[in-house]
Amino acid sequence: MLIEGTGFALSIVVYLYLMSLAPSWPLNAAPPDLLAGTSLTALLVASLVPNLFLARWARNQNLLKVRVGLIVMSLLGIAPLILRAFEFPAMHIKWDQNAYGSIVWVMLGLHTTHILTDLIETLVLTCLMFSRHGDNGRRFGDVSDNAMYWNFVVVTWLPMYACLYWVPRL
Amino acid sequence: MRTARPLLLSVIIAVAPGCSGNQSALNPHGAPAIHVEHLIIGTVAACTAVWILVMVILGLALLRRRRAAADSAKSEARLTMTVVAAVVATGVIIAGLTIASFYTTRSIGGPESAALTITVRGQQWWWQIFYASSGATPGFQTANEIHIPLGEDVNIRLESADVIHSFWVPSLAGKQDLVPGRSNSLLLRAEKPGVYRGQCAEFCGLQHSHMAIVVIAEAPVDYERWAAAQRGDAMVPADPDAAAGQAAFLAKPCAACHTVRGTPANGTTGPDLTHIGARQTIGAGLLETTRGSLAAWIADPQTLKPGNNMPMVPLTSVELQNISAYMESLK
Amino acid sequence: MTREDDSELRDTALEATELDRRLTATWATPPGLWGALSTVDHKIIGRRYITTAVVFLALGGLLSLLMRLQLAQPEARFIGPDRYNQIFSIHGTNMMFLFAVPVMQAMAVYLVPLMVGTRSIAFPRLNAFSYWMYLAGGLLLWIAFMLDAGPDVGWFAYVPLSGPEYAAGKRADIWAQMITFTEVSALAVAVEIVVTVFKQRAPGMSLDRIPLFVWSMLVTSFLVILAMPAIMIASTALILDRLVETHFFNPAEGGDVLLWQHLFWFFGHPEVYIIFLPAVGMVSTIVATFTRRPVFGYLGMVMALISTGVLALGLWVHHMFVAGLPRLGESFFTASSMAIAIPAGLQIFCWLATIWAGRPIFKTPFLFVIGFMVIFVIGGLTGVMVASVPFDTQVHDTYFVVAHFHYVLVGGAVFPLLGAIYYWFPKFTGRMMSETLGRWVFGLIFAGFNLTFFPMHILGLRGMPRRIYTYQPEMPWSGLNMLISLSAIILAVGFLLFFIDAIRSGRSGAPAPSNPWGASTLEWATSSPPPPYNFARTPVVGSLEPLSDNPDMLPVAAGLRVDCRELLVTSVVEAIPEAREPSSGDSIWPLWAALATTATLIWSIFTPWAVVWGSIPVAIALIGWFWPKGTSEDDS
Amino acid sequence: MSDLPASPSGRAALMAVALVAASAAFVAANVARDNHTQAAVAKTMTGGDPERAPEIFRRYGCSGCHTIPGIPGADGQTGAPLTGLSKRVYIAGVLENNSDNLVAWIVSPRSFSPQTAMPATGISQQEAKDLAAYLYAQ
Amino acid sequence: MGTESVTEKANVNPASALMVAGLLLLISSGGVFGWLRQARELRLDPPGVSDLDRFRLMQNGISGTPPESYFALGKVYESDAYNLSQGKRLYSWFGCAACHADGRGGIGPSFLDGWWLYGPEMVSIVASIRDGRPHGMPAFRDKMTIEQIWQLAGYVQTIGSYTPKVAAPSRNDDKHTRPAENRGPAKILFDEGPAGVHADQGPSP
């Protein structure tokens, strides 16, 4: 996570660097529409609540609750992807139009990859918890690691959200 | 100790002036380069002293006679003191060198004071050079050769047409990159008349090795005479070979890439050839400008400088003769 | 967790031979091809890693001989510009990404678990995966070179020369994608080492008792983790620019050419320390052993390691002094670049003090350390020179810099590495290398190196730029170039002799005892070569030099299971035992995962859709990797 | 199939031989491919058959005056060596190097360079094409 | 004796067999790589260049056959990345954009719309560039060498191709006006296919 955190931080640095060179920012585009991104942010922040519960249940090795929590988190992993699909057009620019478009798409893409990775992991864990391998200390450990990772995905989004949606409005 | 001798040798080379040809940081003839040379000599001397000192200590540590049982606590304390002192000394030397470096940077100064500005545009793999117009006197374009008046600050504006190059004439100044999308500048000032060779220092592709530039520093009168000649159109060829050469030049692909002012040839891809016969070199320092090397270059540029952007134009033997005669006549 | 029953056989219950038999049954790699492909034993993987890296060293060395052949005379026609550009690009890329960084990490993969007294590295399957990725990246580069598709844009791949407009074909993409391979493997190893050092140290090995080599690898791993994402971002941006026309480096659309240099050198400068810091650890280890005393100023050394690591992240701009950046920034980076000389100086002085106070024994590993001191100090001092902006404007991108970084990297890393190989060879193979040949190897390499690289300083000052495939006969460089090329032969003979010695000793050298040098760190507490389980019982550490304190009987901790792979987890600071943790068993899935990733990455040079379709097999392989097999390791 | 040498040094030697063999195969295949391409281009350009050339070179005395690679006894010192002819810019310093000019030159050199010492050998057009194909294929 | 050696041969050590297989693989891959390797040609042989002029065109100026040596060279002007990117540079150096813009056309016809007045074959494009065409396309016979014309033609064909070539060059460091060649701009911008008859763009074939 330190690696990915550095990656996210560097992408923000690149964004700000390109901004510092540009005569106007965003370059030849309107600032992004707030709706999709903001509701995604709200959704991600809200998803922290069940996620924290899930982490606690996993620590307590409560199989039933963990199963429910994982299903909820799977759904909460899919929902942001749907919203994300609306975020790309909300940027009013494509990756191949100029450097602003490039960095914006790469940042969104980078974060989407993380949501996707965590979602797949959550789905696999959900299957596992319903299989005979489920009730096992190690699996519960995996679940809390996964919950931890989701926290990371959500927390790193916040500076990126600020950067993508609010910096162009400054 | 095996390396001590070459190291000292280099110091001797550094101190002995004028023995390294005309493309050398150790043979400076321009104010910026002279300042840097002083810094180089000073730093190398200081560092050599440090190195010798460390080596002497290493030698002693390795070979010294050991007493049977030393008072370990006392000697440890003494060692600690020594190491701390050495680190402090390192800090002091480093600080001294940093200050010397800042001082040199300051004394070189920026190109703000310059009266004359020359724009150098890096191209794969040659230098396009613009002398700006001033008032009524029109500007002109040339390639691979800069003339500057002696003892005057000259601002070299550095731009690139394609990839990153680096302008480096070590006898006059340090190097500076030519970065696409940006514009850099560099101060040149020659203290002694002469022909100073420089070379692209940033890897720029296939013919990075053959991308030389010549800076000619001459008395202001000579410089003005040269500039006046450069502003003029190309000479009309007098002898029949050259005249036929001009006709061939215009009929063949040559004119599509090269400009010869005063003729219909106005291509902009290759170097301006209006006064090529007066330049010292062709092919960006590849060969001396003679009838023979002109012919060799025109006949087969891809063997002389593989990968460069001048194609091999099929010419009959007579056309080749004539065009090279024409080129030579463009003084 | 203290329950004792028949199904959980512990090492407390068994006497030595039976313990050895049972532990071997649990930890050993099964024979045959399948076993070799699915092993996760850090020693086997470490040896593989080292061998592969040394093969790449030899290949890179051959390229440098080709370059010297071409440069021996002016306007030589032996190699044309196109091939020469590929050769020097691959030489640099190969030496940095396929030799220097991996070989240092490989030494750590082998040694760190032994030095901290544990049974295996953390995340052993990730370790296997990282090796396969590294191998695939290396093969990609070299096969591309054989097909005349080798990168020709330098190891630094500056845009726009490497960008979509000026680098035709797939050469630059292959460079950028090869970076991804080595990044993935380097980052994986870095994570393994950090976790191994933090959580798996032997009981009692508190932070102030960690061997210096382990400290150096810890700092190195953090540097890898912090610096490598920059090049990952940079190379991804480059591929995107080339493949799907993003505009990161296109000035006409708001991109910037210098952005590449910032990102590249933000990684590229720490890279030097990623290579050099492990060497500091090696030198410290060898100095301690061959002067018969602990390294002077342990705390100072650790602080120097950490501060070098921190400073390394803050001086990348000194590679860009002539790119036309604001002068104030340049001054700052001059100061910080100069400042790094202070921790480096501290290290040198500590070693000198150690030698001064100790009783040196002039065996081959120690000879290499002496050579290191002589050469590296020159490299460091020339580093101080190029840290000065005005000085650098004259020598940047000239042979002076070529000389400088070969003094730093060969002097500062290859010499210690060769010493380290002579030093640890008995542990790796159970056989000693030849002392006689070793002296010849040292003498030839030392003399050959200095004769080859010292004159390059002078060439640089006399105006010879780097990366030129030839020079004109009018330039006054041909004499020195001929000397350099001839000296390179001496250097090559030295290396050849080293390879011969290593191969010969590995097959028929004198058998080595457990601790041939009388060293004091834990890797010497087990047999040479170590058994698959490293230590029959986990050692307990009471000082910085556990073997000097108790040369005969090392105290041990017991209680680990012997019927499945299990190791001891300890606390970060004091190394107090916390829990028993299972360690993953052999698996073929890391290989499948590496193959799927390789296919995806190479395919993605050609179309972006490869990332979408290729992620499916990658995901399948990863699920297969982590899916529990119902074995005891999975379930405890 | 015989068993491999059991001794370590034997295996190392085998490995070394295999590496050398692989490098040799690499170089040989590369050279073969280049030659193949070059020969194919030469044939299509000239419309001649290089197979017939060696005999023609000897019959018309070409090999007496020129050094020609691959032709037995062709080490003549009177005319210029004909190695790497396809890379030349001019034929005899007079004609642009292309297949028509080369054939024409071989048939009647005097018509292009009156002072040349090269005789009109009475060679036929098709024979000259065969020679051109051979020379360009080198 | 005999039986002994037979049994020995029958029980080949699997490790040895593996090693032999590995060595054979090594040697054969050496050969394969050697055969596949194709060095970048910076200077074509002069007679080869001159032969490029000898393509045959149909009477109506549309389509024809390239010189046979072109096939012997492996159709390098269509498939070789270096030649294509050289062609791209020539496109800007020789001012093609003045009439054809970024490939969309202007005064001259578009390359992207899938409509080739004289067909998409290399020889047609080469002939158009070399000899010019009615309605304003000038002849470049005296401005470019024949090798440059082939390079340029390969590039022009690439811009208008509906299946993007792997070897195609990517964008320039210029303003973005259309998708880059390696992404198949014709396909992206004119996915509906050939755009019907262009009465305004000269004679239809």
Side-chain angles (χ1 to χ4, degrees):
Chain A
M1 280 195 280
L2 186 57
I3 300 168
E4 290 149 323
T6 317
F8 282 131
L10 279 168
S11 70
I12 293 179
V13 169
V14 171
Y15 181 96
L16 297 175
Y17 177 85
L18 290 172
M19 184 171 103
S20 74
L21 293 176
S24 67
W25 195 260
L27 276 173
N28 301 328
D33 293 339
L34 288 173
L35 179 67
T38 311
S39 38
L40 178 117
T41 313
L43 181 73
L44 284 181
V45 172
S47 75
L48 283 180
V49 178
N51 193 44
L52 291 174
F53 274 109
L54 175 62
R56 183 189 298 169
W57 295 329
R59 259 198 310 282
N60 298 338
Q61 310 219 342
N62 186 330
L63 183 62
L64 188 71
K65 284 184 174 172
V66 164
R67 282 179 177 170
V68 174
L70 277 173
I71 291 174
V72 172
M73 286 314 294
S74 302
L75 296 175
L76 281 175
I78 294 168
L81 287 178
I82 298 168
L83 281 173
R84 184 52 56 83
F86 292 96
E87 268 190 276
F88 286 99
M91 290 293 159
H92 300 304
I93 192 141
K94 280 199 176 168
W95 73 93
D96 61 355
Q97 278 171 308
N98 59 37
Y100 167 70
S102 305
I103 182 65
V104 163
W105 277 66
V106 163
M107 284 168 80
L108 281 179
L110 198 63
H111 193 258
T112 312
T113 326
H114 281 76
I115 297 184
L116 205 63
T117 318
D118 191 272
L119 174 64
I120 291 170
E121 204 182 324
T122 312
L123 291 173
V124 171
L125 274 174
T126 313
C127 298
L128 265 179
M129 290 316 270
F130 282 94
S131 76
R132 67 186 169 84
H133 301 290
D135 196 5
N136 172 311
R138 221 161 146 69
R139 291 298 87 69
F140 287 113
D142 292 346
V143 173
S144 39
D145 288 351
N146 181 252
M148 181 70 191
Y149 193 76
W150 184 255
N151 290 339
F152 170 77
V153 170
V154 173
V155 169
T156 47
W157 172 246
L158 298 178
M160 293 179 97
Y161 168 73
C163 188
L164 288 176
Y165 287 90
W166 293 99
V167 168
R169 288 164 192 276
L170 286 180
Chain B
M1 296 300 126
R2 234 170 290 204
T3 48
R5 204 168 302 145
L7 197 69
L8 287 174
L9 196 72
S10 84
V11 175
I12 292 163
I13 289 170
V15 175
C19 62
S20 323
N22 64 352
Q23 181 177 317
S24 169
L26 302 178
N27 187 15
H29 293 295
I34 292 170
H35 287 299
V36 178
E37 197 219 10
H38 293 159
L39 180 73
I40 291 177
I41 292 173
T43 315
V44 170
C47 290
T48 311
V50 169
W51 184 77
I52 291 172
L53 197 66
V54 173
M55 288 308 110
V56 168
I57 296 170
L58 175 66
L60 287 178
L62 287 170
L63 301 174
R64 80 189 180 103
R65 229 173 241 278
R66 263 118 186 130
R67 271 160 296 165
D71 181 355
S72 65
K74 219 174 101 190
S75 68
E76 287 279 305
R78 233 182 25 231
L79 271 180
T80 313
M81 286 303 295
T82 317
V83 168
V84 169
V87 172
V88 171
T90 312
V92 170
I93 294 170
I94 291 298
L97 292 176
T98 310
I99 291 166
S101 162
F102 291 160
Y103 179 76
T104 308
T105 308
R106 273 177 60 101
S107 51
I108 289 173
E112 300 81 19
S113 56
L116 175 63
T117 294
I118 302 168
T119 302
V120 174
R121 238 165 101 80
Q123 299 260 13
Q124 278 180 329
W125 293 273
W126 57 283
W127 308 87
Q128 191 174 20
I129 292 153
F130 301 93
Y131 282 74
S133 58
S134 68
T137 46
F140 58 89
Q141 197 194 125
T142 177
N144 303 326
E145 186 171 304
I146 297 178
H147 286 239
I148 57 172
L150 203 60
E152 279 179 35
D153 285 354
V154 179
N155 176 19
I156 308 285
R157 249 166 59 90
L158 302 167
E159 289 168 0
S160 170
D162 37 50
V163 301
I164 303 178
H165 304 276
S166 193
F167 180 89
W168 184 39
V169 185
S171 297
L172 295 180
K175 63 181 73 61
Q176 189 78 10
D177 286 354
L178 296 79
V179 182
R182 289 175 176 244
S183 167
N184 286 337
S185 48
L186 181 73
L187 179 80
L188 279 196
R189 183 192 160 94
E191 308 294 343
K192 209 179 112 181
V195 178
Y196 303 105
R197 189 180 189 271
Q199 193 165 353
C200 175
E202 184 61 82
F203 176 61
C204 57
L206 285 169
Q207 280 302 333
H208 169 55
S209 313
H210 290 126
M211 185 169 165
I213 189 162
V214 174
V215 177
I216 297 170
E218 52 200 1
V221 190
D222 296 330
Y223 166 76
E224 284 306 334
R225 194 180 311 130
W226 172 84
Q230 290 285 316
R231 280 185 203 104
D233 284 348
M235 282 176 213
V236 179
D239 87 296
D241 278 4
Q246 183 183 40
F249 182 90
L250 294 174
K252 288 282 170 180
C254 319
C257 293
H258 293 287
T259 295
V260 178
R261 273 174 277 137
T263 74
N266 61 355
T268 52
T269 313
D272 184 307
L273 300 180
T274 311
H275 298 287
I276 183 167
R279 289 184 213 146
Q280 294 206 343
T281 64
I282 57 167
L286 188 72
L287 294 167
E288 224 177 299
T289 313
T290 61
R291 176 87 172 263
S293 38
L294 281 165
W297 172 258
I298 296 164
D300 191 359
Q302 292 301 325
T303 296
L304 269 63
K305 194 170 167 178
N308 87 84
N309 288 313
M310 170 145 161
M312 207 173 120
V313 178
L315 297 171
T316 66
S317 47
V318 178
E319 285 167 341
L320 178 68
Q321 297 281 1
N322 293 342
I323 293 179
S324 47
Y326 175 54
M327 288 291 112
E328 196 196 15
S329 77
L330 293 174
K331 296 282 185 194
Chain C
M1 299 289 275
T2 49
R3 188 161 52 96
E4 286 263 353
D5 56 54
D6 292 343
S7 67
E8 282 198 3
L9 196 55
R10 305 294 191 86
D11 54 2
T12 38
L14 298 167
E15 51 81 40
T17 25
E18 178 63 8
L19 179 62
D20 174 59
R21 198 184 61 73
R22 294 201 178 225
L23 277 173
T24 306
T26 306
W27 287 87
T29 297
L33 182 64
W34 195 255
L37 293 179
S38 55
T39 184
V40 297
D41 184 338
H42 75 95
K43 296 177 291 300
I44 294 177
I45 293 172
R47 276 174 63 169
R48 246 178 226 172
Y49 239 125
I50 296 170
T51 316
T52 315
V54 170
V55 168
F56 284 129
L57 168 72
L59 288 171
L62 284 178
L63 291 186
S64 64
L65 286 179
L66 287 178
M67 288 191 278
R68 282 323 313 173
L69 187 57
Q70 164 73 8
L71 290 177
Q73 286 182 306
E75 291 291 4
R77 292 287 178 263
F78 177 65
I79 301 172
D82 189 46
R83 191 163 305 163
Y84 188 89
N85 290 351
Q86 288 185 59
I87 288 177
F88 85 71
S89 302
I90 291 181
H91 172 76
T93 309
N94 174 75
M95 288 308 200
M96 294 302 260
F97 292 102
L98 298 177
F99 164 65
V101 174
V103 83
M104 293 301 176
Q105 290 196 319
M107 295 292 274
V109 162
Y110 193 101
L111 290 169
V112 163
L114 288 167
M115 289 178 112
V116 302
T118 184
R119 288 209 162 140
S120 178
I121 199 165
F123 313 124
R125 288 185 184 174
L126 185 64
N127 194 27
F129 174 75
S130 81
Y131 173 74
W132 297 123
M133 287 301 288
Y134 159 64
L135 183 66
L139 287 178
L140 170 66
L141 184 72
W142 280 92
I143 290 176
F145 178 52
M146 284 202 278
L147 295 177
D148 202 56
D152 57 352
V153 291
W155 87 278
F156 43 89
Y158 274 9
V159 291
L161 189 62
S162 64
E165 186 170 354
Y166 297 99
K170 293 293 168 195
R171 294 173 169 189
D173 302 278
I174 285 167
W175 179 85
Q177 208 58 296
M178 191 238 43
I179 298 294
T180 313
F181 280 89
T182 52
E183 294 302 283
V184 168
S185 81
L187 284 168
V189 174
V191 169
E192 293 153 19
I193 288 170
V194 168
V195 175
T196 310
V197 175
F198 274 164
K199 295 304 292 177
Q200 290 182 206
R201 298 201 304 277
M205 188 184 276
S206 51
L207 286 183
D208 56 346
R209 293 178 191 155
I210 298 179
L212 279 173
F213 177 73
V214 176
W215 260 118
S216 71
M217 283 315 305
L218 184 66
V219 177
T220 304
S221 301
F222 272 108
L223 265 187
V224 169
I225 289 171
L226 290 174
M228 291 239 172
I231 184 86
M232 206 114 166
I233 297 245
S235 66
T236 308
L238 179 61
I239 290 184
L240 290 175
D241 262 21
R242 293 176 55 86
L243 190 65
V244 296
E245 49 168 341
T246 55
H247 296 279
F248 289 103
F249 308 121
N250 176 6
E253 286 289 7
D256 184 38
V257 167
L258 293 186
L259 171 63
W260 169 267
Q261 299 188 17
H262 281 295
L263 286 172
F264 184 82
W265 290 116
F266 184 76
F267 143 82
H269 197 79
E271 168 96 342
V272 175
Y273 293 93
I274 289 169
I275 295 166
F276 170 62
L277 288 183
V280 170
M282 292 168 179
V283 170
S284 302
T285 314
I286 295 171
V287 165
T289 301
F290 291 94
T291 58
R292 301 267 166 258
R293 58 153 291 154
V295 169
F296 178 86
Y298 175 85
L299 186 65
M301 289 297 284
V302 173
M303 287 300 146
L305 282 171
I306 296 173
S307 56
T308 308
V310 172
L311 279 174
L313 289 167
L315 33 78
W316 75 94
V317 169
H318 78 209
H319 296 266
M320 302 164 62
F321 278 161
V322 299
L325 295 171
R327 193 171 286 174
L328 183 69
E330 288 183 351
S331 304
F332 167 77
F333 284 99
T334 292
S336 67
S337 307
M338 293 247 182
I340 207 157
I342 294 174
L346 175 63
Q347 288 160 355
I348 298 277
F349 300 136
C350 283
W351 291 321
L352 284 175
T354 315
I355 298 172
W356 186 277
R359 293 166 188 286
I361 301 163
F362 293 87
K363 293 270 174 146
T364 308
F366 194 61
L367 291 182
F368 276 104
V369 166
I370 298 172
F372 153 81
M373 297 269 214
V374 176
I375 293 168
F376 177 71
V377 173
I378 295 181
L381 290 168
T382 50
V384 168
M385 298 177 193
V386 296
S388 149
V389 175
F391 198 121
D392 189 56
T393 58
Q394 283 289 20
V395 295
H396 182 82
D397 275 336
T398 69
Y399 263 78
F400 187 90
V401 172
V402 178
H404 156 68
F405 70 74
H406 279 94
Y407 265 78
V408 170
L409 291 172
V410 179
V414 177
F415 269 71
L417 178 76
L418 292 175
I421 289 177
Y422 271 92
Y423 179 70
W424 276 299
F425 196 83
K427 187 51 65 184
F428 296 158
T429 63
R431 293 175 188 280
M432 307 292 289
M433 284 178 85
S434 158
E435 193 59 31
T436 325
L437 276 180
R439 280 163 196 271
W440 274 100
V441 169
F442 169 72
L444 285 169
I445 292 184
F446 184 80
F449 174 82
N450 282 301
L451 285 169
T452 304
F453 289 98
F454 196 86
M456 289 187 187
H457 291 112
I458 301 163
L459 275 180
L461 285 170
R462 293 174 73 184
M464 180 163 164
R466 290 171 77 176
R467 299 159 188 151
I468 52 174
Y469 80 100
T470 192
Y471 49 92
Q472 284 162 272
E474 297 84 49
M475 307 313 291
W477 303 327
S478 37
L480 278 178
N481 270 304
M482 179 55 94
L483 170 71
I484 290 170
S485 294
L486 292 176
S487 310
I489 296 172
I490 304 178
L491 187 58
V493 170
F495 272 102
L496 186 65
L497 204 58
F498 167 75
F499 293 127
I500 290 172
D501 189 15
I503 294 172
R504 194 200 60 84
S505 306
R507 301 189 178 284
S508 55
S514 301
N515 190 357
W517 313 113
S520 62
T521 36
L522 282 181
E523 77 273 26
W524 304 104
T526 183
S527 60
S528 302
Y533 48 87
N534 289 359
F535 301 93
R537 293 190 171 88
T538 309
V540 174
V541 175
S543 83
L544 185 56
E545 301 202 293
L547 297 199
S548 314
D549 301 344
N550 305 288
D552 305 322
M553 275 292 277
L554 198 63
V556 291
L560 289 176
R561 282 171 63 167
V562 298
D563 55 344
C564 68
R565 297 188 176 193
E566 198 170 67
L567 42 78
L568 195 64
V569 172
T570 54
S571 66
V572 175
V573 178
E574 294 292 333
I576 297 163
E578 284 178 332
R580 295 179 292 122
E581 266 279 310
S583 175
S584 311
D586 293 349
S587 166
I588 195 69
W589 285 103
L591 177 60
W592 292 136
L595 285 174
T597 317
T598 301
T600 307
L601 287 179
I602 294 179
W603 188 13
S604 72
I605 294 176
F606 299 94
T607 163
W609 292 105
V611 180
V612 177
W613 302 122
S615 64
I616 296 169
V618 172
I620 292 172
L622 288 179
I623 291 169
W625 174 339
F626 287 109
W627 195 267
K629 308 290 181 301
T631 57
S632 46
E633 276 90 353
D634 291 325
D635 295 335
S636 63
Chain D
M1 184 166 108
S2 64
D3 256 0
L4 290 170
S7 73
S9 53
R11 274 212 299 265
L14 189 71
M15 195 66 205
V17 169
L19 275 176
V20 172
S23 316
F26 175 76
V27 173
N30 188 230
V31 169
R33 183 218 158 93
D34 284 355
N35 288 346
H36 175 83
T37 313
Q38 176 103 19
V41 170
K43 253 185 182 167
T44 53
M45 266 184 338
T46 54
D49 180 2
E51 304 278 317
R52 290 198 290 260
E55 195 255 325
I56 303 172
F57 276 129
R58 284 187 70 79
R59 183 173 346 133
Y60 291 100
C62 312
S63 53
C65 285
H66 292 285
T67 297
I68 310 164
I71 301 299
D75 59 349
Q77 304 295 320
T78 310
L82 301 181
T83 30
L85 197 72
S86 66
K87 306 229 171 317
R88 298 264 181 91
V89 179
Y90 290 106
I91 298 164
V94 172
L95 279 175
E96 286 168 76
N97 185 4
N98 59 45
S99 55
D100 292 346
N101 282 352
L102 180 59
V103 171
W105 171 269
I106 293 172
V107 173
S108 93
R110 292 266 169 118
S111 54
F112 302 102
S113 179
Q115 300 293 313
T116 185
M118 179 158 158
T121 52
I123 192 170
S124 77
Q125 186 85 4
Q126 184 55 45
E127 283 170 328
K129 281 185 178 178
D130 296 340
L131 295 191
Y134 181 91
L135 290 171
Y136 281 156
Q138 292 310 304
Chain E
M1 239 346 236
T3 38
E4 240 177 62
S5 70
V6 165
T7 42
E8 252 180 40
K9 273 177 189 167
N11 302 330
V12 175
N13 179 359
S16 298
L18 204 72
M19 197 164 160
V20 168
L23 294 181
L24 289 177
L25 187 75
L26 185 73
I27 296 170
S28 54
S29 57
V32 170
F33 290 141
W35 186 264
L36 290 177
R37 179 189 176 93
Q38 193 174 20
R40 189 171 277 183
E41 285 290 346
L42 299 177
R43 176 190 187 269
L44 226 56
D45 292 347
V49 175
S50 148
D51 203 49
L52 287 172
D53 242 336
R54 301 201 297 187
F55 57 86
R56 288 189 299 273
L57 207 60
M58 304 275 279
Q59 278 298 311
N60 59 0
I62 300 168
S63 185
T65 50
E68 279 177 65
S69 63
Y70 180 58
F71 297 105
L73 280 172
K75 301 217 245 179
V76 283
Y77 296 104
E78 282 160 87
S79 57
D80 180 73
Y82 179 70
N83 283 318
L84 290 178
S85 70
Q86 286 298 104
K88 179 166 178 151
R89 306 180 92 174
L90 298 169
Y91 188 89
S92 62
W93 285 346
F94 285 89
C96 307
C99 296
H100 299 280
D102 58 3
R104 274 176 224 265
I107 303 167
S110 161
F111 306 129
L112 296 174
D113 58 5
W115 187 257
W116 294 91
L117 292 176
Y118 304 96
E121 289 91 356
M122 281 291 278
V123 276
S124 304
I125 306 174
V126 170
S128 302
I129 301 171
R130 187 184 71 175
D131 307 332
R133 295 285 187 183
H135 300 274
M137 172 74 191
F140 280 80
R141 194 186 294 112
D142 297 332
K143 296 198 173 76
M144 304 168 78
T145 66
I146 186 68
E147 187 185 6
Q148 287 180 317
I149 290 174
W150 277 85
Q151 287 175 329
L152 177 56
Y155 170 69
V156 169
Q157 193 198 41
T158 304
I159 322 179
S161 171
Y162 268 65
T163 42
K165 292 178 188 171
V166 168
S170 182
R171 66 160 173 77
N172 269 354
D173 288 336
D174 294 332
K175 281 279 181 198
H176 167 90
T177 54
R178 59 158 165 79
E181 292 80 344
N182 63 338
R183 295 171 61 203
K187 189 171 158 50
I188 294 178
L189 295 174
F190 294 92
D191 208 10
E192 65 272 23
V197 180
H198 290 224
D200 53 326
Q201 288 183 352
S204 46

